[in-house]
Amino acid sequence: MGRNNDSYLQAFILVGFSDWPRLEMILFAIILVFYALTLLGNTAIILLSITDSRLHMPMYFFLGNLSFPDLCFTTIIVPQLLWNLWGPDKSITYHGCAAQLYIYMVLGSTECVLLAVMSYDCYVAVCRPLHYTVAMHPRLYLQLVSVAWCCGFLNSFVMCPQTMQLSRCGHRRVDHFLCEMPALIAVSCEDNILVEACAFALGVVLLLVPLFLILLSYGMIAATVLRIKSTAGRRKAFNTCSSHLTVVSLFYGTIIYMYLHPANSYSQDQGKFLTLFYTIVTPSVNPLI
């Protein structure tokens, strides 16, 4: 009964940036601007990819599917964050925290796999251009996107219950601005080595395996580009893939450090700003890239 009360009845206090009260109002303004850019840019890409018949191609289909998680990603985080930055109330209900963690992990995991799918699309476009329309047929890219979403839901179904059911001995203060898995595990007062091991294993599958496939695709693309003799051909190949590679670098650079970093050496202040970068900044600049 004590475990149930601890796990299911108490709200959480999201400490966020309350240790820096002067910084809160500055962050409020900055985050509000980035959120507006995220809404505008990603909504425009989704609408254009649907309404413009000239964009009914695999690349733009994948871009629309990447913009949708980015849009939802920020929407489940930013309103609560702005509320906490604006006033003294930093609380979030248990069920609100669980919902935020669940949706956050679904979208984040899905985006990892989607970026790998997009790298395969780039590989086919550059290395097998004459076979592109045959290789990337509608059924295939629908299946690839479905696999990405299934991976996201599976990861969330496995990790969220384990994380939320950890005993916290009455501790309610989460030293973060959202209900993120490493921060919630850090609050636990029981042995969480199995949860950390499971998180690490799934992190390898959903982070490092897609990253390996991305690097493999770009290795083949680089070999193909080097064999192109014309400068115009090389420039076209570079323009096809450079934006995707930039998005991959921004996203993976921070998220791999966050989720494959041992929890016992987890720096909360560093983690807050890294999370702020890949949850607020990256989704707003992706449409521009």
Side-chain angles (χ1 to χ4, degrees), residues 14 53 75 89 96 103-104 107 132 139 142 150 184 189 193 202-203 216-217 226 232 238 240 245 251-252 261 278:
L14 297 177
S53 59
T75 300
D89 184 12
I103 298 170
Y104 173 86
L107 297 172
Y132 182 78
R139 184 179 176 182
L142 284 171
C150 286
L184 290 171
C189 62
I193 188 168
L202 285 171
L216 181 64
S217 296
L226 290 175
F238 176 78
T240 300
L245 193 57
F251 183 78
Y252 272 98
H261 202 254
Y278 77 77

PDB file of all heavy atoms in Angstrom, residues 14 53 75 89 96 103-104 107 132 139 142 150 184 189 193 202-203 216-217 226 232 238 240 245 251-252 261 278:
ATOM      1  N   LEU A  14       8.200  19.735 -10.704  1.00  0.00           N
ATOM      2  CA  LEU A  14       9.234  19.905 -11.724  1.00  0.00           C
ATOM      3  C   LEU A  14      10.055  21.147 -11.378  1.00  0.00           C
ATOM      4  O   LEU A  14       9.601  22.273 -11.566  1.00  0.00           O
ATOM      5  CB  LEU A  14       8.597  20.046 -13.108  1.00  0.00           C
ATOM      6  CG  LEU A  14       7.806  18.821 -13.610  1.00  0.00           C
ATOM      7  CD1 LEU A  14       7.165  19.130 -14.951  1.00  0.00           C
ATOM      8  CD2 LEU A  14       8.701  17.592 -13.719  1.00  0.00           C
ATOM      9  N   SER A  53       0.200  18.400 -55.015  1.00  0.00           N
ATOM     10  CA  SER A  53       0.338  17.094 -55.676  1.00  0.00           C
ATOM     11  C   SER A  53       1.756  16.857 -56.196  1.00  0.00           C
ATOM     12  O   SER A  53       2.183  15.708 -56.348  1.00  0.00           O
ATOM     13  CB  SER A  53      -0.661  16.978 -56.830  1.00  0.00           C
ATOM     14  OG  SER A  53      -0.453  18.010 -57.784  1.00  0.00           O
ATOM     15  N   THR A  75       4.668  20.270 -28.380  1.00  0.00           N
ATOM     16  CA  THR A  75       3.362  20.621 -27.835  1.00  0.00           C
ATOM     17  C   THR A  75       3.083  19.933 -26.503  1.00  0.00           C
ATOM     18  O   THR A  75       2.378  20.484 -25.649  1.00  0.00           O
ATOM     19  CB  THR A  75       2.253  20.285 -28.855  1.00  0.00           C
ATOM     20  OG1 THR A  75       2.493  21.035 -30.050  1.00  0.00           O
ATOM     21  CG2 THR A  75       0.881  20.637 -28.323  1.00  0.00           C
ATOM     22  N   ASP A  89       3.851  27.899  -9.376  1.00  0.00           N
ATOM     23  CA  ASP A  89       3.380  26.516  -9.346  1.00  0.00           C
ATOM     24  C   ASP A  89       4.199  25.658 -10.322  1.00  0.00           C
ATOM     25  O   ASP A  89       4.149  25.856 -11.534  1.00  0.00           O
ATOM     26  CB  ASP A  89       1.894  26.474  -9.728  1.00  0.00           C
ATOM     27  CG  ASP A  89       1.323  25.063  -9.608  1.00  0.00           C
ATOM     28  OD1 ASP A  89       2.000  24.200  -9.031  1.00  0.00           O
ATOM     29  OD2 ASP A  89       0.205  24.831 -10.110  1.00  0.00           O
ATOM     30  N   GLY A  96      -0.514  13.184 -15.396  1.00  0.00           N
ATOM     31  CA  GLY A  96       0.006  14.123 -16.383  1.00  0.00           C
ATOM     32  C   GLY A  96       1.457  13.831 -16.702  1.00  0.00           C
ATOM     33  O   GLY A  96       1.878  13.888 -17.867  1.00  0.00           O
ATOM     34  N   ILE A 103       4.084   9.821 -24.232  1.00  0.00           N
ATOM     35  CA  ILE A 103       4.013  10.429 -25.574  1.00  0.00           C
ATOM     36  C   ILE A 103       5.399  10.888 -26.020  1.00  0.00           C
ATOM     37  O   ILE A 103       5.786  10.723 -27.186  1.00  0.00           O
ATOM     38  CB  ILE A 103       3.019  11.608 -25.566  1.00  0.00           C
ATOM     39  CG1 ILE A 103       1.618  11.103 -25.209  1.00  0.00           C
ATOM     40  CG2 ILE A 103       2.977  12.295 -26.928  1.00  0.00           C
ATOM     41  CD1 ILE A 103       0.618  12.214 -24.944  1.00  0.00           C
ATOM     42  N   TYR A 104       6.153  11.450 -25.092  1.00  0.00           N
ATOM     43  CA  TYR A 104       7.510  11.931 -25.360  1.00  0.00           C
ATOM     44  C   TYR A 104       8.390  10.798 -25.882  1.00  0.00           C
ATOM     45  O   TYR A 104       9.112  10.950 -26.872  1.00  0.00           O
ATOM     46  CB  TYR A 104       8.055  12.515 -24.057  1.00  0.00           C
ATOM     47  CG  TYR A 104       9.500  12.918 -24.048  1.00  0.00           C
ATOM     48  CD1 TYR A 104       9.895  14.181 -24.476  1.00  0.00           C
ATOM     49  CD2 TYR A 104      10.472  12.053 -23.555  1.00  0.00           C
ATOM     50  CE1 TYR A 104      11.228  14.561 -24.442  1.00  0.00           C
ATOM     51  CE2 TYR A 104      11.803  12.430 -23.511  1.00  0.00           C
ATOM     52  CZ  TYR A 104      12.174  13.678 -23.955  1.00  0.00           C
ATOM     53  OH  TYR A 104      13.488  14.040 -23.922  1.00  0.00           O
ATOM     54  N   LEU A 107       7.265   9.544 -29.464  1.00  0.00           N
ATOM     55  CA  LEU A 107       7.668  10.446 -30.544  1.00  0.00           C
ATOM     56  C   LEU A 107       9.179  10.459 -30.738  1.00  0.00           C
ATOM     57  O   LEU A 107       9.666  10.450 -31.868  1.00  0.00           O
ATOM     58  CB  LEU A 107       7.156  11.860 -30.237  1.00  0.00           C
ATOM     59  CG  LEU A 107       5.630  12.011 -30.161  1.00  0.00           C
ATOM     60  CD1 LEU A 107       5.250  13.397 -29.658  1.00  0.00           C
ATOM     61  CD2 LEU A 107       4.991  11.748 -31.517  1.00  0.00           C
ATOM     62  N   TYR A 132      14.821   4.493 -58.584  1.00  0.00           N
ATOM     63  CA  TYR A 132      14.216   5.137 -57.404  1.00  0.00           C
ATOM     64  C   TYR A 132      12.707   4.910 -57.341  1.00  0.00           C
ATOM     65  O   TYR A 132      12.169   4.517 -56.302  1.00  0.00           O
ATOM     66  CB  TYR A 132      14.526   6.634 -57.406  1.00  0.00           C
ATOM     67  CG  TYR A 132      13.983   7.354 -56.193  1.00  0.00           C
ATOM     68  CD1 TYR A 132      14.640   7.266 -54.969  1.00  0.00           C
ATOM     69  CD2 TYR A 132      12.821   8.110 -56.264  1.00  0.00           C
ATOM     70  CE1 TYR A 132      14.149   7.915 -53.844  1.00  0.00           C
ATOM     71  CE2 TYR A 132      12.315   8.762 -55.151  1.00  0.00           C
ATOM     72  CZ  TYR A 132      12.993   8.655 -53.948  1.00  0.00           C
ATOM     73  OH  TYR A 132      12.494   9.288 -52.835  1.00  0.00           O
ATOM     74  N   ARG A 139       3.864   1.364 -51.249  1.00  0.00           N
ATOM     75  CA  ARG A 139       3.689   0.333 -50.221  1.00  0.00           C
ATOM     76  C   ARG A 139       4.915   0.227 -49.330  1.00  0.00           C
ATOM     77  O   ARG A 139       4.788   0.067 -48.103  1.00  0.00           O
ATOM     78  CB  ARG A 139       3.413  -1.016 -50.906  1.00  0.00           C
ATOM     79  CG  ARG A 139       3.113  -2.135 -49.918  1.00  0.00           C
ATOM     80  CD  ARG A 139       2.817  -3.440 -50.637  1.00  0.00           C
ATOM     81  NE  ARG A 139       2.616  -4.530 -49.714  1.00  0.00           N
ATOM     82  CZ  ARG A 139       2.387  -5.785 -50.076  1.00  0.00           C
ATOM     83  NH1 ARG A 139       2.322  -6.089 -51.367  1.00  0.00           N
ATOM     84  NH2 ARG A 139       2.217  -6.723 -49.173  1.00  0.00           N
ATOM     85  N   LEU A 142       5.261   3.311 -46.927  1.00  0.00           N
ATOM     86  CA  LEU A 142       4.236   3.224 -45.883  1.00  0.00           C
ATOM     87  C   LEU A 142       4.627   2.180 -44.832  1.00  0.00           C
ATOM     88  O   LEU A 142       4.432   2.391 -43.623  1.00  0.00           O
ATOM     89  CB  LEU A 142       2.880   2.872 -46.496  1.00  0.00           C
ATOM     90  CG  LEU A 142       2.142   4.002 -47.220  1.00  0.00           C
ATOM     91  CD1 LEU A 142       0.924   3.445 -47.956  1.00  0.00           C
ATOM     92  CD2 LEU A 142       1.715   5.093 -46.241  1.00  0.00           C
ATOM     93  N   CYS A 150       5.784   1.810 -34.892  1.00  0.00           N
ATOM     94  CA  CYS A 150       5.667   0.627 -34.035  1.00  0.00           C
ATOM     95  C   CYS A 150       6.832   0.547 -33.047  1.00  0.00           C
ATOM     96  O   CYS A 150       6.641   0.194 -31.875  1.00  0.00           O
ATOM     97  CB  CYS A 150       5.622  -0.643 -34.884  1.00  0.00           C
ATOM     98  SG  CYS A 150       4.046  -0.881 -35.744  1.00  0.00           S
ATOM     99  N   LEU A 184      13.579  10.895 -13.841  1.00  0.00           N
ATOM    100  CA  LEU A 184      12.665  10.136 -12.986  1.00  0.00           C
ATOM    101  C   LEU A 184      13.371   8.943 -12.350  1.00  0.00           C
ATOM    102  O   LEU A 184      13.109   8.604 -11.187  1.00  0.00           O
ATOM    103  CB  LEU A 184      11.457   9.671 -13.796  1.00  0.00           C
ATOM    104  CG  LEU A 184      10.483  10.763 -14.235  1.00  0.00           C
ATOM    105  CD1 LEU A 184       9.452  10.204 -15.206  1.00  0.00           C
ATOM    106  CD2 LEU A 184       9.786  11.393 -13.027  1.00  0.00           C
ATOM    107  N   CYS A 189      14.421   5.640  -5.054  1.00  0.00           N
ATOM    108  CA  CYS A 189      15.194   5.283  -3.854  1.00  0.00           C
ATOM    109  C   CYS A 189      15.429   3.772  -3.771  1.00  0.00           C
ATOM    110  O   CYS A 189      15.865   3.263  -2.744  1.00  0.00           O
ATOM    111  CB  CYS A 189      14.472   5.776  -2.600  1.00  0.00           C
ATOM    112  SG  CYS A 189      12.834   5.036  -2.372  1.00  0.00           S
ATOM    113  N   ILE A 193      18.902  -0.953 -11.168  1.00  0.00           N
ATOM    114  CA  ILE A 193      19.884  -1.410 -12.152  1.00  0.00           C
ATOM    115  C   ILE A 193      19.212  -2.143 -13.321  1.00  0.00           C
ATOM    116  O   ILE A 193      19.651  -2.027 -14.476  1.00  0.00           O
ATOM    117  CB  ILE A 193      20.955  -2.316 -11.484  1.00  0.00           C
ATOM    118  CG1 ILE A 193      22.078  -2.623 -12.491  1.00  0.00           C
ATOM    119  CG2 ILE A 193      20.341  -3.600 -10.944  1.00  0.00           C
ATOM    120  CD1 ILE A 193      23.293  -3.247 -11.851  1.00  0.00           C
ATOM    121  N   LEU A 202      17.539  -0.920 -24.931  1.00  0.00           N
ATOM    122  CA  LEU A 202      16.628  -0.323 -25.903  1.00  0.00           C
ATOM    123  C   LEU A 202      17.252   0.910 -26.552  1.00  0.00           C
ATOM    124  O   LEU A 202      16.993   1.203 -27.719  1.00  0.00           O
ATOM    125  CB  LEU A 202      15.307   0.056 -25.225  1.00  0.00           C
ATOM    126  CG  LEU A 202      14.386  -1.127 -24.914  1.00  0.00           C
ATOM    127  CD1 LEU A 202      13.205  -0.687 -24.055  1.00  0.00           C
ATOM    128  CD2 LEU A 202      13.882  -1.788 -26.189  1.00  0.00           C
ATOM    129  N   GLY A 203      18.090   1.624 -25.782  1.00  0.00           N
ATOM    130  CA  GLY A 203      18.801   2.767 -26.338  1.00  0.00           C
ATOM    131  C   GLY A 203      19.747   2.353 -27.451  1.00  0.00           C
ATOM    132  O   GLY A 203      19.860   3.034 -28.481  1.00  0.00           O
ATOM    133  N   LEU A 216      26.149   4.025 -42.511  1.00  0.00           N
ATOM    134  CA  LEU A 216      26.387   3.101 -43.613  1.00  0.00           C
ATOM    135  C   LEU A 216      25.825   3.660 -44.919  1.00  0.00           C
ATOM    136  O   LEU A 216      26.493   3.621 -45.964  1.00  0.00           O
ATOM    137  CB  LEU A 216      25.734   1.755 -43.291  1.00  0.00           C
ATOM    138  CG  LEU A 216      25.908   0.632 -44.326  1.00  0.00           C
ATOM    139  CD1 LEU A 216      27.389   0.257 -44.454  1.00  0.00           C
ATOM    140  CD2 LEU A 216      25.076  -0.585 -43.935  1.00  0.00           C
ATOM    141  N   SER A 217      24.612   4.215 -44.836  1.00  0.00           N
ATOM    142  CA  SER A 217      23.997   4.812 -46.035  1.00  0.00           C
ATOM    143  C   SER A 217      24.852   5.957 -46.567  1.00  0.00           C
ATOM    144  O   SER A 217      25.102   6.054 -47.779  1.00  0.00           O
ATOM    145  CB  SER A 217      22.589   5.318 -45.706  1.00  0.00           C
ATOM    146  OG  SER A 217      21.735   4.267 -45.345  1.00  0.00           O
ATOM    147  N   LEU A 226      31.849  10.524 -54.959  1.00  0.00           N
ATOM    148  CA  LEU A 226      33.243  10.675 -55.373  1.00  0.00           C
ATOM    149  C   LEU A 226      33.480  10.134 -56.786  1.00  0.00           C
ATOM    150  O   LEU A 226      34.432  10.542 -57.453  1.00  0.00           O
ATOM    151  CB  LEU A 226      34.169   9.961 -54.377  1.00  0.00           C
ATOM    152  CG  LEU A 226      34.271  10.615 -52.991  1.00  0.00           C
ATOM    153  CD1 LEU A 226      35.106   9.753 -52.057  1.00  0.00           C
ATOM    154  CD2 LEU A 226      34.874  12.019 -53.107  1.00  0.00           C
ATOM    155  N   ALA A 232      28.329  19.625 -61.322  1.00  0.00           N
ATOM    156  CA  ALA A 232      26.880  19.810 -61.144  1.00  0.00           C
ATOM    157  C   ALA A 232      26.242  18.569 -60.528  1.00  0.00           C
ATOM    158  O   ALA A 232      25.361  18.680 -59.663  1.00  0.00           O
ATOM    159  CB  ALA A 232      26.224  20.122 -62.487  1.00  0.00           C
ATOM    160  N   PHE A 238      24.931  16.398 -53.220  1.00  0.00           N
ATOM    161  CA  PHE A 238      25.173  17.016 -51.920  1.00  0.00           C
ATOM    162  C   PHE A 238      23.915  17.715 -51.404  1.00  0.00           C
ATOM    163  O   PHE A 238      23.552  17.597 -50.235  1.00  0.00           O
ATOM    164  CB  PHE A 238      26.327  18.025 -52.039  1.00  0.00           C
ATOM    165  CG  PHE A 238      26.589  18.782 -50.763  1.00  0.00           C
ATOM    166  CD1 PHE A 238      27.287  18.197 -49.721  1.00  0.00           C
ATOM    167  CD2 PHE A 238      26.131  20.088 -50.602  1.00  0.00           C
ATOM    168  CE1 PHE A 238      27.525  18.892 -48.539  1.00  0.00           C
ATOM    169  CE2 PHE A 238      26.374  20.787 -49.432  1.00  0.00           C
ATOM    170  CZ  PHE A 238      27.072  20.193 -48.404  1.00  0.00           C
ATOM    171  N   THR A 240      20.894  16.993 -52.079  1.00  0.00           N
ATOM    172  CA  THR A 240      19.867  16.002 -51.752  1.00  0.00           C
ATOM    173  C   THR A 240      19.977  15.528 -50.305  1.00  0.00           C
ATOM    174  O   THR A 240      18.972  15.304 -49.640  1.00  0.00           O
ATOM    175  CB  THR A 240      19.986  14.789 -52.702  1.00  0.00           C
ATOM    176  OG1 THR A 240      19.818  15.237 -54.038  1.00  0.00           O
ATOM    177  CG2 THR A 240      18.934  13.731 -52.378  1.00  0.00           C
ATOM    178  N   LEU A 245      21.490  15.166 -43.235  1.00  0.00           N
ATOM    179  CA  LEU A 245      22.656  14.895 -42.403  1.00  0.00           C
ATOM    180  C   LEU A 245      22.793  15.920 -41.290  1.00  0.00           C
ATOM    181  O   LEU A 245      23.189  15.596 -40.163  1.00  0.00           O
ATOM    182  CB  LEU A 245      23.916  14.877 -43.277  1.00  0.00           C
ATOM    183  CG  LEU A 245      25.191  14.320 -42.638  1.00  0.00           C
ATOM    184  CD1 LEU A 245      24.974  12.896 -42.148  1.00  0.00           C
ATOM    185  CD2 LEU A 245      26.335  14.364 -43.631  1.00  0.00           C
ATOM    186  N   PHE A 251      20.133  16.100 -33.878  1.00  0.00           N
ATOM    187  CA  PHE A 251      19.275  15.258 -33.044  1.00  0.00           C
ATOM    188  C   PHE A 251      20.081  14.217 -32.276  1.00  0.00           C
ATOM    189  O   PHE A 251      19.966  14.094 -31.055  1.00  0.00           O
ATOM    190  CB  PHE A 251      18.222  14.580 -33.925  1.00  0.00           C
ATOM    191  CG  PHE A 251      17.231  13.742 -33.166  1.00  0.00           C
ATOM    192  CD1 PHE A 251      16.183  14.341 -32.484  1.00  0.00           C
ATOM    193  CD2 PHE A 251      17.346  12.354 -33.143  1.00  0.00           C
ATOM    194  CE1 PHE A 251      15.266  13.572 -31.791  1.00  0.00           C
ATOM    195  CE2 PHE A 251      16.424  11.580 -32.448  1.00  0.00           C
ATOM    196  CZ  PHE A 251      15.383  12.196 -31.778  1.00  0.00           C
ATOM    197  N   TYR A 252      20.901  13.458 -33.001  1.00  0.00           N
ATOM    198  CA  TYR A 252      21.616  12.347 -32.379  1.00  0.00           C
ATOM    199  C   TYR A 252      22.732  12.805 -31.449  1.00  0.00           C
ATOM    200  O   TYR A 252      23.024  12.136 -30.458  1.00  0.00           O
ATOM    201  CB  TYR A 252      22.189  11.425 -33.452  1.00  0.00           C
ATOM    202  CG  TYR A 252      21.227  10.362 -33.896  1.00  0.00           C
ATOM    203  CD1 TYR A 252      20.480  10.518 -35.052  1.00  0.00           C
ATOM    204  CD2 TYR A 252      21.054   9.199 -33.168  1.00  0.00           C
ATOM    205  CE1 TYR A 252      19.588   9.551 -35.474  1.00  0.00           C
ATOM    206  CE2 TYR A 252      20.164   8.219 -33.575  1.00  0.00           C
ATOM    207  CZ  TYR A 252      19.440   8.402 -34.728  1.00  0.00           C
ATOM    208  OH  TYR A 252      18.554   7.451 -35.135  1.00  0.00           O
ATOM    209  N   HIS A 261      24.101   7.641 -21.298  1.00  0.00           N
ATOM    210  CA  HIS A 261      24.960   8.113 -20.217  1.00  0.00           C
ATOM    211  C   HIS A 261      24.532   7.436 -18.931  1.00  0.00           C
ATOM    212  O   HIS A 261      23.338   7.374 -18.645  1.00  0.00           O
ATOM    213  CB  HIS A 261      24.811   9.637 -20.086  1.00  0.00           C
ATOM    214  CG  HIS A 261      25.960  10.294 -19.407  1.00  0.00           C
ATOM    215  ND1 HIS A 261      25.892  10.768 -18.136  1.00  0.00           N
ATOM    216  CD2 HIS A 261      27.226  10.551 -19.822  1.00  0.00           C
ATOM    217  CE1 HIS A 261      27.048  11.314 -17.791  1.00  0.00           C
ATOM    218  NE2 HIS A 261      27.872  11.183 -18.807  1.00  0.00           N
ATOM    219  N   TYR A 278      17.343  19.691 -27.762  1.00  0.00           N
ATOM    220  CA  TYR A 278      16.770  18.757 -28.741  1.00  0.00           C
ATOM    221  C   TYR A 278      15.250  18.682 -28.681  1.00  0.00           C
ATOM    222  O   TYR A 278      14.624  18.096 -29.577  1.00  0.00           O
ATOM    223  CB  TYR A 278      17.410  17.367 -28.644  1.00  0.00           C
ATOM    224  CG  TYR A 278      16.981  16.475 -27.501  1.00  0.00           C
ATOM    225  CD1 TYR A 278      15.770  15.797 -27.522  1.00  0.00           C
ATOM    226  CD2 TYR A 278      17.827  16.267 -26.416  1.00  0.00           C
ATOM    227  CE1 TYR A 278      15.406  14.960 -26.495  1.00  0.00           C
ATOM    228  CE2 TYR A 278      17.472  15.420 -25.384  1.00  0.00           C
ATOM    229  CZ  TYR A 278      16.255  14.771 -25.430  1.00  0.00           C
ATOM    230  OH  TYR A 278      15.896  13.935 -24.408  1.00  0.00           O
TER     231      TYR A 278
END
